[in-house]
Each structure stands twice: as C-alpha cells, then as structure tokens.
Amino acid sequence: MTFDPIDLGSFWMPKQSSTIAEEIDTAYYIVYWLDVVMFVALMGALAYFMWKYKRRGPKDKLSDVTHSTTLEISWTIIPTILVIGLFFVGLKGWMKAMVAPGNALEIRTTAEMYMWTFTYPNGNVSVNELVVPKGQPVKLIMSSKDVLHSFFVPEFRVKQDVVPGMYTTVWFEAIENRETVLFCTEYCGVGHSDMMAKVRVMEKADYDNWQETGLLPGEKPLPPAELGKKLFTTRSCNTCHSLDGSRIQGPTFKGIFGRTEQIADGSSVKVDENYIRESLLEPNKKVVQGYPAVMPTYKGLLKETDIDALIAYLKTVQ
C-alpha cells in the first residue's frame, strides 16, 4: 500500500483536517509564543545586566540592595496567572477531545502486529484502511490483540494508546475529502515501522456506496488476479512476504504456487489452493520451517471472493 505524504499546513504542524485540530494548534501556539517571548525577554535582560553592572575598575562597589519585594511578588504572581490560564486552555481542549458527540459513528478498531482492522456498524471489515464520511463525528472503540500499540493521525491531531485487555476510545470529525496516514506510535516489534494504515475521507453518499459495494468512487469491479494484487498490499501481505525472493518475516511469494515447503514439524506440503486458503484462515497450523509463527488469522476479515482473488494472484507471481 502506498501512502500520500502528509500535507504540511505550516512550518511546525501538518494540515488541519479535523474539527479539533485548530483548537489543539491554538493551545500549542499559545505555549510556543509565550516561551519565545519569555526566552527573549530573559536573555535580553540577562545580557543587559551583564553589560550594565560589569565591574569596570577597582573602585567599583557592590550594590547594597539585597532584594526587591515588589519584584519578587511580580515574578511569582505573573507566572502563576499564566499557568492557571494555560491549565484552563488545556482543560477545554481535553474535554472536547475526550467526549464524543452522541451522533458519532462507532467503528470497532483492533490493533495487532502489524496491522489495523476496522469493523463498521453493518459488519463490514477493512484492514489497514479506515474509511470515514466527511462532516460526521467518528468514534473509534479500540483494543489490541497482543501488545501495546498507539493510534495516531497527525492531520486529525488525535492520538490514543491501544491496550490489550481493555477498550480505549478516540473521536474526530474530518472536514475535507482526502487521504492521510495513520501511524502506530508505540514500538510494538520488528515490524512496527510498517504498521501504517490509510485514512480515506469521502462524501457521505460515496461512503454509503462503499459500504454497500466495496467500490471507491470511480472504481469498477476487478478481475480476480488484479483484485488479489490489490489485496496483497491493502491487506498488508507485503509487510511480511516479498515478491522478489528476499527474506523478511515470512516466506517469499516469488514462485510460491506449486512450490514444496518444509514445515516446522518436519513434514512438507505443496503450495496449492487449499494450503493458501488454510494459511490465510489458520496461519499457525502449518508454519514454514525457519519462520516465526506470527501471522495473524484473516478469518472474518476476507470474503470468499477475496480469498479466491489472492489465490489467483499468487498463481501469477513468478
């Protein structure tokens, strides 16, 4: 799967693509510019005092001023007021970010090494691709199957840990039809850097059509081998299986169909339609010798037509 580069909205921040992004950025820039002003003021005063009170000769005497009550009260009260003000700015943004609107579309989100699975209210499932309608609040109910992961979409300004054994939530409302990138920002294993997904925002009518037909705007039904080639990347098979013979986390798919594989238990198996299907649905039943048993099951994530398409595509990989 290829990803469009994140669109930079400013020198410091990505483009604002959700309703909460502007508020998050405002809080950030308030803190940023306060720091800049205070740094310049303090360093300027320090340089000025160093120059003004530099000892210029043996007759210079030390000042007899030991303290200034007015100054001490000022540098205590002013920062306190600033910190209290920043607290309420942060609290307002945090409350807005944590409480999803009542009409939010709920999407069940599951993280595991090294992919994201999204289950929609009608039972449809997408892997490594989150599709949402523009202008509608979306609430993700998330959990992990294995280790700690973290959901992060920079353009939406949302980030939330995804924890095994419990549910966490995050919500956003996309404001523009576009594609952006979802990252895992918690190191979760050797494939962590490849654990990305596409976030696709589209009009409500296009979203409803995608839910019904699985087709994106402008797409037409594909022949099985071409659909399988597309699934190879959209379902993240390419994360663990190469097409050029190189070794990564799983056996290469180069010339795989018809090949005889040595299994970890000492037996062997010929790669045919049944073995590919079994490997997709029960990946740990016959693990190829020399490779770890880390492949997740695609049971419930692939339709029968998807499995047939992947088989058709693997027959073409030489």
Side-chain angles (χ1 to χ4, degrees):
M1 181 179 292
T2 58
F3 299 97
D4 294 335
I6 295 176
D7 194 353
L8 294 178
S10 68
F11 182 79
W12 297 111
M13 291 288 190
K15 185 175 183 177
Q16 298 173 349
S17 298
S18 75
T19 53
I20 199 173
E22 183 177 0
E23 194 160 343
I24 298 292
D25 289 2
T26 299
Y28 169 82
Y29 282 117
I30 288 174
V31 175
Y32 172 81
W33 284 112
L34 275 176
D35 288 345
V36 170
V37 170
M38 293 178 68
F39 176 81
V40 172
L42 288 172
M43 293 301 104
L46 179 63
Y48 172 73
F49 291 144
M50 289 173 62
W51 171 80
K52 181 176 177 60
Y53 298 109
K54 176 183 177 182
R55 189 179 185 187
R56 292 179 170 80
K59 294 182 179 180
D60 285 355
K61 296 180 180 179
L62 294 177
S63 171
D64 56 358
V65 176
T66 59
H67 72 282
S68 169
T69 302
T70 301
L71 188 59
E72 291 179 4
I73 291 175
S74 298
W75 72 38
T76 300
I77 292 179
I78 292 175
T80 301
I81 293 174
L82 290 175
V83 170
I84 292 174
L86 291 175
F87 169 78
F88 283 104
V89 170
L91 179 63
K92 181 185 175 186
W94 183 80
M95 292 291 290
K96 185 175 180 179
M98 295 303 295
V99 182
N103 63 338
L105 172 69
E106 292 191 356
I107 299 177
R108 182 76 171 85
T109 302
T110 305
E112 60 184 304
M113 299 184 291
Y114 301 99
M115 68 181 194
W116 298 91
T117 303
F118 305 99
T119 305
Y120 300 85
N122 63 357
N124 282 349
V125 175
S126 66
V127 177
N128 285 341
E129 185 172 37
L130 173 61
V131 182
V132 298
K134 185 185 80 172
Q136 178 171 355
V138 174
K139 180 181 179 181
L140 304 182
I141 302 172
M142 307 185 292
S143 64
S144 169
K145 281 187 176 179
D146 37 47
V147 299
L148 181 63
H149 301 277
S150 189
F151 178 98
F152 179 45
V153 182
E155 290 191 18
F156 292 169
R157 309 291 195 273
V158 292
K159 180 179 180 296
Q160 181 61 270
D161 284 351
V162 186
V163 185
M166 65 177 290
Y167 296 112
T168 56
T169 63
V170 68
W171 82 273
F172 58 84
E173 181 179 333
I175 59 175
E176 185 178 342
N177 291 346
R178 60 182 290 100
E179 294 179 7
T180 186
V181 185
L182 153 63
F183 296 95
C184 175
T185 49
E186 190 71 41
Y187 180 74
C188 55
V190 295
H192 163 70
S193 59
D194 293 322
M195 191 171 169
M196 296 188 291
K198 180 173 291 188
V199 181
R200 195 186 299 272
V201 183
M202 57 178 67
E203 295 291 343
K204 181 67 165 58
D206 294 331
Y207 171 80
D208 292 339
N209 183 64
W210 176 79
Q211 286 284 347
E212 185 176 344
T213 65
L215 296 176
L216 297 171
E219 274 192 344
K220 296 180 180 178
L222 297 173
E226 291 187 29
L227 175 59
K229 184 178 182 180
K230 179 182 176 183
L231 291 171
F232 175 74
T233 54
T234 58
R235 296 297 189 263
S236 292
C237 307
N238 58 340
T239 303
C240 298
H241 302 279
S242 73
L243 298 176
D244 59 2
S246 58
R247 178 188 175 103
I248 43 182
Q249 296 180 60
T252 179
F253 281 170
K254 182 179 181 181
I256 189 172
F257 195 83
R259 190 169 70 201
T260 299
E261 296 282 20
Q262 296 298 315
I263 306 303
D265 63 5
S267 63
S268 61
V269 63
K270 184 178 180 180
V271 179
D272 56 13
E273 291 88 347
N274 288 320
Y275 177 69
I276 295 174
R277 177 186 177 83
E278 182 182 72
S279 298
L280 289 168
L281 303 181
E282 300 178 79
N284 294 327
K285 192 170 182 178
K286 295 175 183 174
V287 179
V288 175
Q289 197 173 64
Y291 291 92
V294 295
M295 178 172 165
T297 177
Y298 281 82
K299 187 178 292 184
L301 305 181
L302 292 173
K303 302 174 185 175
E304 287 298 323
T305 52
D306 294 337
I307 295 174
D308 293 342
L310 281 168
I311 293 172
Y313 172 60
L314 293 181
K315 289 179 179 179
T316 69
V317 179
Q318 300 298 323

